[in-house]
Amino acid sequence: NGAGKSTLFKAVVGLVPLQSGEIRVFGQLHDDVRLVSYVPQRNEVDWDFPVTVRDVVMMGRFGELGWFRWPGRRDREIVERCLEDVGMTDFADRQIGELSGGQQQRVFIARALAQEARLILMDEPFAGVDMNTERAIFATLDALQERGITVLLSTHNLNMAAAHFSRMALLNRRLIAFGRPSEVLKPAILPEAYGDQIATWRTTEEG
């Protein structure tokens, strides 16, 4: 906690100002809100706000619609497809506060999909979800990868990250390491991020 994961994501999508430097997405400075989609932590959302699941997902189309256009047939078709992709079609008319934590997480993933962004940032998407929802989220991530969409995901679970992702970035107010899990999760590197809060064991295999 406090390492800067959420701040980094918010800086990428323009929710917090930069003190210095610049952020490039796919090698270029970006000012297109449709390029990057952000799935916030659940505790940053007002779940009592009077909107339905379908309304939330339609918010992902805002960058395409702007202020003065009503959703058209294509927008509605995209929203319905995204709801189906995350298994939330049957809940489309529910108020978002009526859903479980895992269902709420799926709704915001559907909103990100509806935006048709090339980069999706997901801040602690597995926090407070059950195993079935976790599997559903991973299935969605696999589908995104097949479609050529890049996903950056923050998590405290090193074992899960190592098992499911091809690249890892280890942060503690600065970038400590970046690379394949085998290159990042090393006894010489981990204490730089966790100090004396982490213990490592070296194992050997015989044969």
Side-chain angles (χ1 to χ4, degrees):
N1 290 327
K5 302 185 301 298
S6 297
T7 301
L8 174 62
F9 281 5
K10 290 176 181 179
V12 173
V13 294
L15 296 178
V16 296
L18 301 182
Q19 293 184 338
S20 63
E22 61 187 21
I23 291 178
R24 293 179 177 266
V25 177
F26 303 116
Q28 298 181 356
L29 296 171
H30 78 93
D31 55 6
D32 187 345
V33 296
R34 296 169 296 182
L35 182 64
V36 182
S37 185
Y38 175 54
V39 180
Q41 292 188 31
R42 290 187 60 255
N43 60 11
E44 297 183 7
V45 178
D46 179 6
W47 299 110
D48 294 323
F49 197 75
V51 290
T52 66
V53 167
R54 185 178 283 109
D55 293 334
V56 172
V57 180
M58 183 62 76
M59 292 175 187
R61 303 298 301 157
F62 175 79
E64 191 72 30
L65 293 170
W67 288 102
F68 304 109
R69 276 185 53 205
W70 289 97
R73 177 178 177 180
R74 180 174 181 270
D75 300 301
R76 291 190 292 269
E77 289 176 347
I78 289 173
V79 167
E80 296 305 318
R81 185 178 70 243
C82 293
L83 285 169
E84 183 177 357
D85 286 345
V86 299
M88 291 300 294
T89 299
D90 292 342
F91 300 86
D93 296 319
R94 297 271 191 96
Q95 193 272 338
I96 56 171
E98 299 175 0
L99 305 179
S100 69
Q103 290 169 338
Q104 291 168 344
Q105 193 67 266
R106 294 190 209 184
V107 171
F108 273 80
I109 292 174
R111 185 186 70 167
L113 295 175
Q115 186 175 324
E116 298 183 308
R118 293 174 55 202
L119 171 64
I120 297 179
L121 310 177
M122 304 177 68
D123 198 356
E124 295 284 352
F126 300 106
V129 304
D130 57 31
M131 291 299 296
N132 288 333
T133 298
E134 184 174 303
R135 284 192 290 267
I137 292 174
F138 275 122
T140 301
L141 295 180
D142 291 339
L144 293 175
Q145 185 179 35
E146 292 176 0
R147 289 157 56 179
I149 297 173
T150 300
V151 176
L152 295 181
L153 181 151
S154 71
T155 179
H156 292 277
N157 192 327
L158 297 181
N159 291 329
M160 182 189 69
H164 291 280
F165 301 103
S166 59
R167 296 290 186 276
M168 297 179 66
L170 193 63
L171 299 178
N172 191 349
R173 298 180 179 256
R174 64 181 179 86
L175 180 63
I176 293 173
F178 173 78
R180 299 181 183 278
S182 60
E183 299 168 337
V184 172
L185 300 181
K186 291 185 174 181
I189 294 177
L190 290 174
E192 292 189 48
Y194 293 94
D196 57 6
Q197 300 179 50
I198 190 169
T200 61
W201 288 267
R202 187 182 303 276
T203 62
T204 58
E205 296 183 0
E206 297 180 0

